[in-house]
């Protein structure tokens, strides 16, 4: 099964930038979108062969996630059942026979780290949620996690220490999740691969110069790690300031 995650930075804008052609090229069985910035009824989007599930923020034009899947899930859950974290449309969980897929758009700490305290509370609550799911069956946790985990995951680590997305606190929370029984699928297969990024600023021609950050992930629970066949970063696909990332699991053995 091929699972792809993409922060589209506004689905309505991305639709005008080759989104449908990109979806065909990606060939995902499950496509997870973040930062849709729209209610479902605001978007004319039908992908043949896919079922769709949307979780939009209460605040219009902000945040939001969507999932498109070929296979009908056993169940779909929106949010993590925590009122303080469930108004921004940031989580959709699909349950399949052998594993859960959790689509996530992690809150940004913002300039001046004004939202870092909230981000820390979010991280703790979400880690508890994911660990609870992993006690039942495998978990694929993917999305824009808004953090570059290690220095190798951004082009200019020294210049960005303590900036949003590269604070010690945010990095430690991702470490804590991985230490709780999860693996970063990309680093699982490519532990030393440098210059592999999924987000580039629109400023200073950053994408053309590949001055980027790897802040989009497909994380798997340890009981799925052996089934990871490929982990990909589709830097050639345009339409957003992020590119899609993906993980492919061996469908013959995902238990």
């Amino acid at each position: 099964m091929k699972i792809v995650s993409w922060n589209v930075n506004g689905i309505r804008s991305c639709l005008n930038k080759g989104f449908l052609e990109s979806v065909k090229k990606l060939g995902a069985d499950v496509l997870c979108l973040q930062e849709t910035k729209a209610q479902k009824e605001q978007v004319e989007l039908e992908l043949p062969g896919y079922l769709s599930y949307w979780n939009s923020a209460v605040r219009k034009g902000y945040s939001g996630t969507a999932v498109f899947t070929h296979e009908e899930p056993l169940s779909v859950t929106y949010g993590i059942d925590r009122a303080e974290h469930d108004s921004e449309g940031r989580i959709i969980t699909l349950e399949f026979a052998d594993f859960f897929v959790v689509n996530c758009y992690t809150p940004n700490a913002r300039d001046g780290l004004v939202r870092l305290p909230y981000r820390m509370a979010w991280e703790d609550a979400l880690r508890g949620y994911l660990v609870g799911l992993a006690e039942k069956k495998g978990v694929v946790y993917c999305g824009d996690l808004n953090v570059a985990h290690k220095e190798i995951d951004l082009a200019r680590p020294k210049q960005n220490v303590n900036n949003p997305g590269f604070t010690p606190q945010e990095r430690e929370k991702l470490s804590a999740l991985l230490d709780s029984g999860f693996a970063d699928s990309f680093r699982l297969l490519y532990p030393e691969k440098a210059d592999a990024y999924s987000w580039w600023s629109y400023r200073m021609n950053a994408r053309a110069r590949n001055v980027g950050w790897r802040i989009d992930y497909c994380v798997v629970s340890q009981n799925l790690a052996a089934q990871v066949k490929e982990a990909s970063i589709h830097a050639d696909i345009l339409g957003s300031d992020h590119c899609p990332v993906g993980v492919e699991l061996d469908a013959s053995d995902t238990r």
Side-chain angles (χ1 to χ4, degrees):
M1 177 178 278
K2 185 177 183 181
I3 301 164
V4 172
S5 171
W6 191 8
N7 179 321
V8 292
N9 193 11
I11 184 61
R12 288 171 288 184
S13 173
C14 198
L15 277 168
N16 296 321
K17 299 175 182 177
F19 175 79
L20 296 178
E21 292 78 8
S22 295
V23 170
K24 291 178 184 177
K25 183 177 180 180
L26 288 165
D29 297 298
V30 180
L31 175 64
C32 299
L33 305 182
Q34 304 89 42
E35 205 171 359
T36 52
K37 297 183 180 178
Q39 312 292 317
K40 182 179 181 179
E41 60 271 15
Q42 293 178 306
V43 185
E44 292 186 13
L45 174 58
E46 294 292 337
L47 298 181
Y50 285 96
L51 300 168
S52 66
Y53 304 90
W54 294 70
N55 190 10
S56 302
V58 172
R59 173 183 164 190
K60 290 188 176 180
Y62 176 72
S63 188
T65 48
V67 180
F68 297 82
T69 173
H70 285 313
E71 180 181 340
E72 185 174 0
L74 301 176
S75 66
V76 181
T77 304
Y78 302 94
I80 59 173
D81 199 25
R82 295 281 294 271
E84 67 271 30
H85 298 308
D86 288 346
S87 66
E88 297 182 354
R90 293 185 178 274
I91 295 284
I92 305 176
T93 302
L94 277 64
E95 179 184 4
F96 296 101
D98 298 325
F99 53 86
F100 296 96
V101 174
V102 180
N103 180 22
C104 175
Y105 177 36
T106 298
N108 192 303
R110 293 185 182 169
D111 291 344
L113 304 179
V114 295
R115 218 180 184 200
L116 185 61
Y118 173 74
R119 167 76 178 263
M120 296 296 96
W122 159 277
E123 295 280 3
D124 290 340
L126 184 59
R127 185 173 66 254
Y129 175 74
L130 294 171
V131 168
L133 291 181
E135 292 173 352
K136 302 173 184 177
K137 60 177 75 174
V139 175
V140 180
Y141 165 55
C142 59
D144 175 2
L145 305 191
N146 260 318
V147 60
H149 188 215
K150 303 289 186 180
E151 289 193 355
I152 195 175
D153 294 316
L154 71 167
R156 295 178 175 171
K158 290 181 173 55
Q159 295 94 320
N160 283 288
V161 172
N162 290 319
N163 282 342
F166 200 59
T167 63
Q169 299 95 317
E170 291 165 304
R171 297 168 66 193
E172 286 166 6
K173 291 298 185 184
L174 182 49
S175 292
L177 174 66
L178 299 179
D179 290 342
S180 298
F182 293 85
D184 173 355
S185 64
F186 186 77
R187 288 296 171 216
L188 194 65
L189 298 187
Y190 306 106
E192 304 299 330
K193 186 172 179 61
D195 303 319
Y197 309 125
S198 65
W199 174 81
W200 303 262
S201 171
Y202 281 131
R203 296 175 293 180
M204 305 293 291
N205 208 25
R207 189 160 188 169
R209 295 161 54 223
N210 199 29
V211 180
W213 298 49
R214 190 174 73 95
I215 60 175
D216 301 86
Y217 297 76
C218 293
V219 172
V220 299
S221 54
Q222 286 290 354
N223 56 347
L224 291 180
Q227 279 73 57
V228 174
K229 292 173 59 179
E230 182 57 282
S232 52
I233 299 177
H234 301 274
D236 59 316
I237 291 185
L238 307 178
S240 169
D241 51 350
H242 296 250
C243 75
V245 301
V247 64
E248 188 172 353
L249 301 179
D250 183 353
S252 66
D253 183 12
T254 53
R255 293 184 184 275

